[in-house]
Coordinates of all heavy atoms in Angstrom, one line a residue:
M20 N -25.1 -60.1 -9.8 CA -24.9 -58.9 -10.6 C -25.7 -58.9 -11.8 O -25.8 -59.9 -12.5 CB -23.4 -58.8 -11.0 CG -23.1 -57.6 -11.8 SD -21.4 -57.7 -12.5 CE -20.4 -57.7 -11.0
S21 N -26.4 -57.9 -12.1 CA -27.3 -57.8 -13.3 C -26.4 -57.5 -14.5 O -25.2 -57.0 -14.4 CB -28.3 -56.7 -13.2 OG -27.7 -55.4 -13.2
L22 N -27.0 -57.8 -15.7 CA -26.2 -57.5 -16.9 C -25.9 -56.0 -17.0 O -24.8 -55.5 -17.4 CB -27.0 -57.9 -18.2 CG -26.4 -57.5 -19.5 CD1 -25.1 -58.2 -19.7 CD2 -27.3 -57.9 -20.6
A23 N -26.9 -55.1 -16.6 CA -26.7 -53.7 -16.6 C -25.5 -53.3 -15.7 O -24.7 -52.4 -16.1 CB -28.0 -53.0 -16.2
D24 N -25.4 -53.9 -14.6 CA -24.3 -53.6 -13.7 C -23.0 -54.0 -14.3 O -22.0 -53.3 -14.3 CB -24.4 -54.4 -12.3 CG -25.5 -53.8 -11.5 OD1 -25.8 -52.6 -11.7 OD2 -26.0 -54.5 -10.6
F25 N -23.0 -55.2 -14.9 CA -21.8 -55.8 -15.5 C -21.2 -54.9 -16.6 O -20.0 -54.7 -16.7 CB -22.1 -57.2 -16.0 CG -20.9 -57.9 -16.6 CD1 -19.9 -58.3 -15.8 CD2 -20.7 -58.0 -18.0 CE1 -18.7 -59.0 -16.3 CE2 -19.6 -58.6 -18.5 CZ -18.6 -59.1 -17.7
I26 N -22.1 -54.4 -17.5 CA -21.6 -53.6 -18.6 C -21.6 -52.1 -18.3 O -21.3 -51.3 -19.1 CB -22.5 -53.8 -19.9 CG1 -23.9 -53.4 -19.7 CG2 -22.4 -55.3 -20.3 CD1 -24.8 -53.6 -20.9
G27 N -21.9 -51.7 -17.0 CA -21.7 -50.4 -16.6 C -22.8 -49.4 -17.0 O -22.5 -48.2 -17.1
M28 N -24.0 -49.9 -17.1 CA -25.1 -49.1 -17.5 C -25.6 -48.4 -16.2 O -25.8 -49.0 -15.2 CB -26.2 -50.0 -18.0 CG -27.3 -49.2 -18.7 SD -28.6 -50.3 -19.3 CE -27.8 -51.2 -20.6
P29 N -25.7 -47.0 -16.3 CA -26.2 -46.3 -15.1 C -27.6 -46.7 -14.7 O -28.3 -47.2 -15.5 CB -26.1 -44.9 -15.6 CG -25.3 -44.8 -16.8 CD -25.4 -46.2 -17.4
D30 N -27.9 -46.5 -13.4 CA -29.2 -46.9 -12.9 C -30.3 -46.2 -13.7 O -30.2 -45.0 -14.0 CB -29.4 -46.4 -11.5 CG -28.6 -47.3 -10.5 OD1 -28.2 -48.4 -11.0 OD2 -28.4 -47.0 -9.4
G31 N -31.3 -46.9 -14.1 CA -32.4 -46.3 -14.8 C -32.2 -46.1 -16.3 O -33.1 -45.6 -17.0
A32 N -31.0 -46.3 -16.8 CA -30.7 -46.0 -18.2 C -31.2 -47.2 -19.1 O -31.0 -48.4 -18.7 CB -29.2 -45.8 -18.4
G33 N -31.7 -46.9 -20.2 CA -32.1 -47.9 -21.1 C -31.0 -48.3 -22.0 O -29.9 -47.7 -21.9
P34 N -31.2 -49.1 -23.0 CA -30.2 -49.4 -24.0 C -29.7 -48.2 -24.7 O -30.4 -47.2 -24.9 CB -30.9 -50.4 -25.0 CG -32.1 -50.9 -24.2 CD -32.5 -49.8 -23.3
V35 N -28.4 -48.2 -25.1 CA -27.9 -47.0 -25.8 C -28.0 -47.1 -27.3 O -27.7 -48.1 -27.8 CB -26.4 -46.9 -25.4 CG1 -25.7 -45.8 -26.1 CG2 -26.2 -46.7 -23.9
S36 N -28.5 -46.1 -27.9 CA -28.6 -46.1 -29.3 C -27.2 -45.8 -29.9 O -26.4 -45.1 -29.3 CB -29.5 -44.9 -29.8 OG -30.8 -45.1 -29.2
P37 N -27.0 -46.4 -31.1 CA -25.7 -46.2 -31.8 C -25.5 -44.7 -31.9 O -26.4 -43.9 -32.3 CB -25.8 -46.9 -33.1 CG -26.9 -47.8 -32.9 CD -27.8 -47.3 -31.9
G38 N -24.3 -44.2 -31.7 CA -24.0 -42.8 -31.9 C -24.1 -42.0 -30.6 O -23.5 -40.9 -30.5
I39 N -24.8 -42.4 -29.6 CA -24.9 -41.7 -28.4 C -23.6 -41.9 -27.6 O -23.1 -43.0 -27.5 CB -26.1 -42.2 -27.5 CG1 -27.4 -41.8 -28.2 CG2 -26.0 -41.6 -26.1 CD1 -28.6 -42.1 -27.4
H40 N -23.0 -40.7 -27.2 CA -21.7 -40.8 -26.6 C -21.8 -41.3 -25.2 O -22.5 -40.8 -24.3 CB -21.0 -39.5 -26.6 CG -19.6 -39.6 -26.0 ND1 -18.6 -40.2 -26.7 CD2 -19.2 -39.2 -24.8 CE1 -17.5 -40.2 -25.9 NE2 -17.9 -39.5 -24.8
R41 N -21.1 -42.4 -24.9 CA -20.8 -42.9 -23.5 C -19.3 -43.2 -23.5 O -18.7 -43.6 -24.5 CB -21.6 -44.1 -23.2 CG -23.1 -43.9 -23.1 CD -23.5 -43.6 -21.7 NE -24.9 -43.3 -21.6 CZ -25.9 -44.2 -21.4 NH1 -25.6 -45.5 -21.3 NH2 -27.2 -43.8 -21.3
P42 N -18.7 -43.1 -22.4 CA -17.3 -43.4 -22.3 C -17.0 -44.9 -22.5 O -17.9 -45.7 -22.2 CB -16.9 -43.0 -20.9 CG -18.1 -43.0 -20.1 CD -19.2 -42.7 -21.1
P43 N -15.9 -45.3 -23.2 CA -15.6 -46.7 -23.3 C -15.3 -47.3 -22.0 O -14.7 -46.7 -21.1 CB -14.3 -46.7 -24.2 CG -14.1 -45.3 -24.7 CD -14.9 -44.4 -23.8
V44 N -15.8 -48.5 -21.8 CA -15.5 -49.3 -20.6 C -14.5 -50.4 -20.9 O -13.9 -51.0 -20.0 CB -16.7 -50.0 -20.0 CG1 -17.6 -48.9 -19.3 CG2 -17.5 -50.8 -21.0
L45 N -14.3 -50.6 -22.2 CA -13.3 -51.6 -22.6 C -12.7 -51.3 -24.0 O -13.5 -50.9 -24.9 CB -14.0 -53.0 -22.7 CG -13.3 -54.1 -23.3 CD1 -12.1 -54.5 -22.3 CD2 -14.2 -55.3 -23.5
R46 N -11.4 -51.3 -24.0 CA -10.8 -51.1 -25.3 C -9.6 -52.0 -25.5 O -8.7 -52.1 -24.7 CB -10.2 -49.6 -25.3 CG -9.6 -49.2 -26.7 CD -9.2 -47.8 -26.7 NE -10.3 -46.9 -27.0 CZ -10.5 -45.8 -26.3 NH1 -9.7 -45.4 -25.4 NH2 -11.5 -45.0 -26.7
L47 N -9.7 -52.8 -26.6 CA -8.6 -53.8 -27.0 C -8.0 -53.3 -28.3 O -8.7 -52.8 -29.2 CB -9.2 -55.2 -27.2 CG -9.9 -55.8 -26.0 CD1 -10.4 -57.2 -26.4 CD2 -8.9 -56.0 -24.9
Q48 N -6.7 -53.4 -28.3 CA -6.0 -53.0 -29.6 C -5.0 -54.0 -30.0 O -4.1 -54.5 -29.3 CB -5.3 -51.6 -29.3 CG -6.3 -50.5 -29.1 CD -5.6 -49.2 -28.9 OE1 -4.9 -49.0 -27.9 NE2 -5.9 -48.2 -29.7
N49 N -5.3 -54.5 -31.3 CA -4.3 -55.3 -32.0 C -3.9 -56.6 -31.3 O -2.7 -56.9 -31.1 CB -3.0 -54.4 -32.3 CG -2.3 -54.9 -33.5 OD1 -2.9 -55.5 -34.4 ND2 -1.0 -54.7 -33.5
I50 N -4.9 -57.3 -30.8 CA -4.7 -58.5 -30.0 C -4.3 -59.6 -31.0 O -5.0 -59.9 -31.9 CB -5.9 -58.9 -29.2 CG1 -6.3 -57.8 -28.2 CG2 -5.7 -60.3 -28.5 CD1 -5.4 -57.7 -27.0
T51 N -3.2 -60.3 -30.7 CA -2.8 -61.5 -31.4 C -2.5 -62.6 -30.4 O -2.0 -62.4 -29.3 CB -1.5 -61.2 -32.2 OG1 -1.8 -60.2 -33.2 CG2 -0.9 -62.4 -32.9
K52 N -3.0 -63.8 -30.8 CA -2.8 -65.0 -29.9 C -2.5 -66.2 -30.8 O -3.3 -66.5 -31.6 CB -4.0 -65.2 -29.0 CG -3.8 -66.4 -28.0 CD -2.8 -66.1 -27.0 CE -2.6 -67.3 -26.0 NZ -1.5 -67.0 -25.0
T53 N -1.4 -66.9 -30.5 CA -1.1 -68.1 -31.2 C -0.9 -69.3 -30.3 O -0.4 -69.1 -29.2 CB 0.3 -67.9 -32.0 OG1 0.1 -66.8 -32.9 CG2 0.6 -69.1 -32.8
F54 N -1.5 -70.4 -30.7 CA -1.3 -71.7 -29.9 C -0.4 -72.6 -30.8 O -1.0 -73.1 -31.8 CB -2.6 -72.3 -29.6 CG -3.5 -71.5 -28.7 CD1 -4.6 -70.8 -29.2 CD2 -3.3 -71.4 -27.3 CE1 -5.4 -70.1 -28.4 CE2 -4.1 -70.7 -26.5 CZ -5.2 -70.0 -27.0
G55 N 0.8 -72.8 -30.4 CA 1.6 -73.6 -31.3 C 1.7 -73.0 -32.7 O 2.1 -71.8 -32.9
G56 N 1.3 -73.7 -33.7 CA 1.2 -73.2 -35.1 C -0.1 -72.6 -35.5 O -0.2 -72.1 -36.6
A57 N -1.1 -72.6 -34.5 CA -2.4 -72.1 -34.9 C -2.6 -70.6 -34.4 O -2.5 -70.4 -33.2 CB -3.5 -73.0 -34.2
K58 N -2.8 -69.8 -35.4 CA -3.0 -68.4 -35.0 C -4.5 -68.2 -34.7 O -5.4 -68.2 -35.6 CB -2.6 -67.5 -36.2 CG -2.5 -66.0 -35.8 CD -1.6 -65.2 -36.8 CE -0.5 -64.5 -36.1 NZ 0.3 -63.7 -36.9
A59 N -4.8 -68.1 -33.4 CA -6.2 -68.0 -33.0 C -6.8 -66.6 -33.3 O -8.0 -66.4 -33.6 CB -6.4 -68.4 -31.6
L60 N -6.0 -65.5 -33.0 CA -6.4 -64.2 -33.1 C -5.3 -63.4 -33.8 O -4.1 -63.5 -33.5 CB -6.7 -63.5 -31.8 CG -7.8 -64.1 -31.0 CD1 -7.9 -63.5 -29.6 CD2 -9.2 -63.9 -31.7
C61 N -5.7 -62.5 -34.8 CA -4.7 -61.7 -35.5 C -5.1 -60.3 -35.6 O -6.0 -60.0 -36.4 CB -4.5 -62.4 -36.9 SG -3.3 -61.6 -37.9
G62 N -4.6 -59.5 -34.7 CA -4.9 -58.0 -34.8 C -6.3 -57.6 -34.5 O -6.9 -56.8 -35.2
V63 N -6.8 -58.2 -33.4 CA -8.2 -57.9 -33.1 C -8.3 -56.6 -32.2 O -7.6 -56.4 -31.2 CB -8.9 -59.0 -32.3 CG1 -10.3 -58.6 -31.8 CG2 -8.9 -60.3 -33.1
S64 N -9.1 -55.6 -32.7 CA -9.3 -54.4 -31.9 C -10.8 -54.3 -31.7 O -11.6 -54.6 -32.5 CB -8.8 -53.2 -32.7 OG -7.4 -53.3 -32.9
L65 N -11.2 -53.7 -30.5 CA -12.6 -53.7 -30.1 C -12.7 -52.6 -29.0 O -11.9 -52.5 -28.1 CB -12.9 -55.0 -29.5 CG -14.3 -55.2 -28.8 CD1 -15.4 -55.1 -29.8 CD2 -14.4 -56.5 -28.0
T66 N -13.7 -51.7 -29.2 CA -14.1 -50.7 -28.2 C -15.5 -50.9 -27.8 O -16.4 -51.1 -28.7 CB -13.9 -49.3 -28.8 OG1 -12.5 -49.1 -29.1 CG2 -14.3 -48.3 -27.7
V67 N -15.8 -51.0 -26.5 CA -17.1 -51.2 -26.0 C -17.5 -50.0 -25.1 O -16.8 -49.7 -24.2 CB -17.2 -52.5 -25.2 CG1 -18.6 -52.7 -24.6 CG2 -16.9 -53.7 -26.1
K68 N -18.6 -49.4 -25.5 CA -19.0 -48.2 -24.6 C -20.0 -48.7 -23.6 O -20.7 -49.7 -23.7 CB -19.7 -47.2 -25.5 CG -18.8 -46.5 -26.5 CD -19.5 -45.4 -27.3 CE -18.5 -44.7 -28.2 NZ -19.2 -43.7 -29.0
A69 N -20.0 -48.0 -22.5 CA -21.0 -48.3 -21.4 C -22.4 -48.4 -21.9 O -22.8 -47.5 -22.7 CB -20.9 -47.2 -20.3
G70 N -23.1 -49.4 -21.5 CA -24.5 -49.5 -21.9 C -24.8 -50.1 -23.2 O -25.9 -50.4 -23.6
S71 N -23.7 -50.4 -24.0 CA -23.9 -51.0 -25.3 C -23.9 -52.6 -25.2 O -23.3 -53.1 -24.3 CB -22.8 -50.6 -26.3 OG -21.5 -51.0 -25.9
V72 N -24.5 -53.2 -26.1 CA -24.6 -54.7 -26.1 C -24.1 -55.1 -27.5 O -24.4 -54.6 -28.5 CB -26.1 -55.1 -26.0 CG1 -26.2 -56.6 -26.1 CG2 -26.7 -54.6 -24.7
H73 N -23.2 -56.1 -27.4 CA -22.5 -56.6 -28.6 C -22.7 -58.1 -28.7 O -22.8 -58.8 -27.7 CB -21.0 -56.3 -28.6 CG -20.7 -54.9 -28.5 ND1 -20.2 -54.2 -29.7 CD2 -20.8 -53.9 -27.6 CE1 -20.0 -52.9 -29.4 NE2 -20.3 -52.7 -28.1
G74 N -22.7 -58.6 -30.0 CA -22.6 -60.0 -30.2 C -21.3 -60.4 -30.8 O -20.7 -59.5 -31.5
L75 N -20.8 -61.5 -30.6 CA -19.5 -62.0 -31.1 C -19.8 -63.2 -31.9 O -20.1 -64.3 -31.4 CB -18.6 -62.3 -29.9 CG -17.2 -62.8 -30.3 CD1 -16.4 -61.7 -31.1 CD2 -16.4 -63.1 -29.0
L76 N -19.7 -63.1 -33.2 CA -20.1 -64.1 -34.2 C -18.9 -64.6 -35.0 O -18.0 -63.8 -35.3 CB -21.1 -63.6 -35.1 CG -22.4 -63.0 -34.6 CD1 -23.3 -62.5 -35.7 CD2 -23.1 -64.0 -33.7
G77 N -18.9 -65.9 -35.3 CA -17.8 -66.4 -36.1 C -17.9 -67.9 -36.2 O -18.5 -68.5 -35.3
R78 N -17.4 -68.5 -37.2 CA -17.5 -69.9 -37.4 C -16.6 -70.6 -36.3 O -15.8 -70.0 -35.7 CB -17.1 -70.4 -38.8 CG -15.6 -70.1 -39.1 CD -15.3 -70.5 -40.5 NE -13.9 -70.3 -40.8 CZ -13.3 -70.5 -42.0 NH1 -14.1 -70.8 -43.0 NH2 -12.0 -70.3 -42.1
N79 N -16.9 -71.9 -36.2 CA -16.1 -72.7 -35.2 C -14.6 -72.6 -35.5 O -14.1 -72.7 -36.6 CB -16.5 -74.2 -35.4 CG -16.2 -75.0 -34.1 OD1 -16.0 -74.4 -33.1 ND2 -16.2 -76.3 -34.3
G80 N -13.9 -72.2 -34.4 CA -12.4 -72.1 -34.5 C -12.0 -70.7 -34.9 O -10.8 -70.5 -35.1
S81 N -12.9 -69.8 -35.0 CA -12.5 -68.4 -35.4 C -11.9 -67.6 -34.3 O -11.4 -66.5 -34.6 CB -13.7 -67.7 -36.1 OG -14.7 -67.6 -35.2
G82 N -11.9 -68.0 -33.1 CA -11.3 -67.3 -32.0 C -12.2 -66.6 -31.0 O -11.7 -65.9 -30.2
K83 N -13.5 -66.9 -31.1 CA -14.4 -66.2 -30.2 C -14.0 -66.5 -28.7 O -13.9 -65.6 -27.9 CB -15.8 -66.7 -30.4 CG -16.3 -66.5 -31.9 CD -17.7 -67.0 -32.1 CE -17.9 -68.5 -31.8 NZ -17.2 -69.3 -32.8
S84 N -13.9 -67.8 -28.4 CA -13.6 -68.2 -27.0 C -12.2 -67.6 -26.5 O -12.1 -67.2 -25.4 CB -13.6 -69.7 -26.8 OG -14.9 -70.2 -27.0
T85 N -11.3 -67.7 -27.4 CA -10.0 -67.2 -27.1 C -10.0 -65.7 -26.8 O -9.4 -65.2 -25.8 CB -9.0 -67.4 -28.3 OG1 -8.9 -68.8 -28.5 CG2 -7.6 -66.9 -27.9
L86 N -10.8 -64.9 -27.5 CA -10.9 -63.5 -27.3 C -11.6 -63.3 -25.9 O -11.1 -62.4 -25.1 CB -11.8 -62.8 -28.4 CG -11.9 -61.3 -28.2 CD1 -10.6 -60.6 -28.3 CD2 -12.9 -60.8 -29.3
V87 N -12.7 -64.0 -25.6 CA -13.3 -63.8 -24.3 C -12.4 -64.3 -23.2 O -12.4 -63.6 -22.1 CB -14.7 -64.6 -24.3 CG1 -15.3 -64.7 -22.9 CG2 -15.6 -64.0 -25.3
K88 N -11.6 -65.3 -23.4 CA -10.7 -65.7 -22.3 C -9.6 -64.7 -22.1 O -9.1 -64.5 -21.0 CB -10.0 -67.1 -22.7 CG -11.0 -68.2 -22.6 CD -10.4 -69.6 -23.1 CE -11.5 -70.7 -23.0 NZ -11.0 -71.9 -23.6
I89 N -9.2 -64.0 -23.1 CA -8.3 -62.9 -22.9 C -8.9 -61.7 -22.2 O -8.4 -61.2 -21.2 CB -7.7 -62.4 -24.3 CG1 -6.7 -63.5 -24.8 CG2 -7.0 -61.0 -24.2 CD1 -6.2 -63.2 -26.2
L90 N -10.2 -61.4 -22.5 CA -10.9 -60.4 -21.8 C -11.0 -60.8 -20.3 O -11.0 -59.9 -19.4 CB -12.3 -60.3 -22.4 CG -12.5 -59.6 -23.7 CD1 -13.9 -59.7 -24.2 CD2 -12.0 -58.2 -23.6
A91 N -11.2 -62.1 -20.0 CA -11.4 -62.5 -18.7 C -10.1 -62.7 -17.9 O -10.1 -63.0 -16.7 CB -12.2 -63.8 -18.7
G92 N -9.0 -62.6 -18.6 CA -7.7 -62.7 -18.0 C -7.2 -64.2 -17.9 O -6.2 -64.4 -17.2
F93 N -7.9 -65.1 -18.6 CA -7.5 -66.5 -18.5 C -6.2 -66.7 -19.4 O -5.3 -67.5 -19.1 CB -8.6 -67.4 -19.0 CG -8.3 -68.8 -18.9 CD1 -8.4 -69.5 -17.7 CD2 -8.0 -69.6 -20.0 CE1 -8.2 -70.9 -17.6 CE2 -7.7 -70.9 -20.0 CZ -7.8 -71.6 -18.8
H94 N -6.2 -66.1 -20.6 CA -5.0 -66.1 -21.5 C -4.4 -64.7 -21.5 O -5.1 -63.7 -21.5 CB -5.4 -66.5 -22.9 CG -5.8 -67.9 -23.1 ND1 -5.1 -68.9 -22.6 CD2 -6.9 -68.4 -23.8 CE1 -5.7 -70.1 -23.0 NE2 -6.8 -69.7 -23.7
E95 N -3.1 -64.7 -21.7 CA -2.3 -63.5 -22.0 C -2.2 -63.4 -23.5 O -1.9 -64.3 -24.2 CB -0.9 -63.5 -21.4 CG -0.9 -63.1 -19.9 CD -1.1 -61.7 -19.7 OE1 -0.6 -60.8 -20.5 OE2 -1.9 -61.4 -18.8
P96 N -2.5 -62.2 -24.1 CA -2.2 -62.1 -25.5 C -0.7 -62.1 -25.9 O 0.1 -61.7 -25.0 CB -2.8 -60.7 -25.9 CG -2.8 -59.9 -24.6 CD -3.0 -60.9 -23.5
D97 N -0.4 -62.6 -27.0 CA 1.0 -62.5 -27.5 C 1.4 -61.1 -27.8 O 2.6 -60.6 -27.5 CB 1.2 -63.4 -28.7 CG 0.9 -64.8 -28.5 OD1 1.0 -65.3 -27.3 OD2 0.6 -65.5 -29.5
E98 N 0.5 -60.4 -28.4 CA 0.8 -58.9 -28.8 C -0.5 -58.2 -28.5 O -1.6 -58.8 -28.5 CB 1.1 -58.8 -30.2 CG 2.4 -59.4 -30.6 CD 2.6 -59.3 -32.1 OE1 2.2 -58.3 -32.7 OE2 3.2 -60.2 -32.7
G99 N -0.4 -56.9 -28.4 CA -1.6 -56.1 -28.1 C -2.0 -56.0 -26.7 O -1.3 -56.6 -25.8
G100 N -2.9 -55.2 -26.4 CA -3.4 -55.1 -25.0 C -4.6 -54.2 -25.0 O -5.2 -53.9 -26.0
G101 N -4.9 -53.8 -23.7 CA -6.1 -52.9 -23.6 C -6.4 -52.6 -22.2 O -5.7 -53.1 -21.3
T102 N -7.5 -51.9 -22.0 CA -8.0 -51.6 -20.7 C -8.7 -52.9 -20.1 O -9.4 -53.6 -20.9 CB -8.9 -50.4 -20.7 OG1 -10.0 -50.7 -21.5 CG2 -8.2 -49.2 -21.1
P103 N -8.6 -53.1 -18.8 CA -9.4 -54.2 -18.3 C -10.9 -53.8 -18.2 O -11.2 -52.6 -18.4 CB -8.8 -54.3 -16.9 CG -8.3 -53.0 -16.5 CD -7.8 -52.4 -17.8
L104 N -11.8 -54.8 -18.0 CA -13.1 -54.5 -17.7 C -13.3 -53.6 -16.5 O -12.6 -53.9 -15.5 CB -14.0 -55.7 -17.5 CG -14.3 -56.6 -18.7 CD1 -14.8 -57.9 -18.3 CD2 -15.4 -55.8 -19.5
Q105 N -14.0 -52.5 -16.6 CA -14.2 -51.6 -15.4 C -15.7 -51.4 -15.2 O -16.5 -51.5 -16.1 CB -13.6 -50.2 -15.8 CG -12.1 -50.3 -16.0 CD -11.6 -49.0 -16.5 OE1 -12.4 -48.1 -16.8 NE2 -10.3 -48.8 -16.6
R106 N -16.0 -51.2 -13.9 CA -17.4 -51.0 -13.6 C -17.6 -49.6 -13.3 O -16.7 -48.9 -12.9 CB -17.8 -51.9 -12.4 CG -17.8 -53.3 -12.7 CD -18.4 -54.1 -11.6 NE -19.7 -53.6 -11.3 CZ -20.3 -53.8 -10.1 NH1 -19.7 -54.5 -9.2 NH2 -21.5 -53.3 -9.8
Ligands
ADP220 N1 -5.8 -74.0 -25.3 C1 -5.6 -74.1 -26.6 N2 -4.6 -74.8 -27.1 C2 -4.3 -75.0 -28.4 N3 -5.1 -74.4 -29.4 C3 -6.2 -73.7 -29.0 C4 -6.5 -73.5 -27.6 N4 -7.6 -72.8 -27.5 C5 -8.0 -72.5 -28.8 N5 -7.1 -73.1 -29.6 C6 -7.2 -73.0 -31.1 O1 -7.4 -71.6 -31.4 C7 -8.3 -71.5 -32.5 C8 -9.5 -70.6 -32.0 O2 -10.2 -71.4 -31.1 P1 -11.5 -70.8 -30.3 O3 -11.1 -69.5 -29.7 O4 -11.9 -71.9 -29.3 O5 -12.6 -70.6 -31.4 P2 -14.1 -70.5 -31.3 O6 -14.5 -70.2 -29.9 O7 -14.5 -69.3 -32.2 O8 -14.7 -71.8 -31.8 C9 -8.6 -72.9 -33.0 O9 -7.8 -73.2 -34.0 C10 -8.4 -73.7 -31.7 O10 -8.1 -75.0 -32.1
MG221 MG1 -15.8 -71.2 -28.5

């Protein structure tokens, strides 16, 4: 599967400029995840539109992997939710 297929970019479409309307393919709202006493994620919300490319930056331990694991269905969030990845 190509990256374009994975993120839902239509055939022949180039990268999407900010502000161009495309429907969201992923929407997360108010995600919280705690491991024991460690709060890995606190109220994370994210909307991703078809054809857009995002980076996820943060220092070590800031919750990047936990967020991706929730997106992938590996972890369940304690609170919050969203739409699954759709093609
Ligand atoms: N399976 C786990 N069990 C316990 N604590 C975890 C687990 N996964 C992540 N954590 C904790 O959650 C926090 C965020 O970790 P992580 O998502 O791996 O951050 P990053 O990927 O940004 O470095 C850290 O405090 C980490 O120790
Ligand atoms: Mg990580």
Side-chain angles (χ1 to χ4, degrees):
M20 178 190 300
S21 70
L22 176 62
D24 288 338
F25 181 73
I26 62 178
M28 192 182 291
D30 284 346
V35 176
S36 301
I39 291 182
H40 180 72
R41 292 268 175 92
V44 290
L45 174 64
R46 181 175 280 136
L47 297 178
Q48 289 179 303
N49 204 28
I50 299 286
T51 296
K52 181 69 179 177
T53 302
F54 297 104
K58 195 161 232 181
L60 297 171
C61 181
V63 175
S64 297
L65 172 70
T66 299
V67 176
K68 291 182 178 179
S71 64
V72 178
H73 296 256
L75 182 59
L76 306 179
R78 67 183 181 185
N79 199 18
S81 62
K83 304 178 299 293
S84 293
T85 301
L86 183 63
V87 171
K88 287 174 183 176
I89 287 173
L90 288 174
F93 184 79
H94 289 315
E95 278 291 315
D97 298 334
E98 297 175 35
T102 58
L104 282 169
Q105 296 172 351
R106 292 188 54 201

